[in-house]
C-alpha cells in the first residue's frame, strides 16, 4: 500500500472489524494470527499518518 493510496478512514474501519473478529474468539489460531498481523500493519500505518498530520498542524500553527 503506497502512501498516496492509503485511506485512513477505510483502514481504521478495517482495523475495528479485525478487533471485533478477534474478540469473538470464534476463529482458529492461525486465522487469529493472520488477522493480528494485519491489524498491527494497519495500526502502524494509521499511527504514522496521524504523526505526519500532527507535524503539519504544528508547523502551520507555529507560522502564525
Amino acid at each position: 500500500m503506497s502512501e498516496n493510496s492509503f485511506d485512513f478512514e477505510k483502514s481504521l474501519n478495517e482495523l475495528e472489524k479485525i478487533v471485533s473478529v478477534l474478540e469473538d474468539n470464534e476463529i482458529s489460531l492461525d486465522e487469529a494470527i493472520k488477522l493480528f498481523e494485519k491489524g498491527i500493519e494497519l495500526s502502524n500505518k494509521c499511527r504514522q499518518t496521524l504523526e505526519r498530520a500532527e507535524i503539519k498542524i504544528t508547523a502551520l500553527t507555529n507560522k502564525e
Side-chain angles (χ1 to χ4, degrees):
M1 194 179 299
S2 73
E3 186 176 321
N4 293 335
S5 68
F6 182 73
D7 184 330
F8 180 82
E9 288 78 14
K10 181 179 175 183
S11 295
L12 193 57
N13 286 334
E14 187 177 349
L15 184 56
E16 289 172 350
K17 289 176 187 175
I18 288 171
V19 169
S20 178
V21 170
L22 289 172
E23 288 177 340
D24 283 342
N25 296 322
E26 299 281 332
I27 59 174
S28 70
L29 179 59
D30 287 338
E31 185 65 23
I33 291 170
K34 288 177 187 174
L35 285 173
F36 185 79
E37 289 173 341
K38 178 68 174 175
I40 292 296
E41 177 186 331
L42 288 170
S43 176
N44 286 337
K45 289 183 181 290
C46 287
R47 180 186 44 77
Q48 290 169 355
T49 300
L50 289 173
E51 287 173 353
R52 284 191 301 273
E54 182 180 15
I55 290 168
K56 287 180 183 179
I57 289 169
T58 299
L60 290 170
T61 56
N62 285 338
K63 285 184 178 180
E64 294 178 4

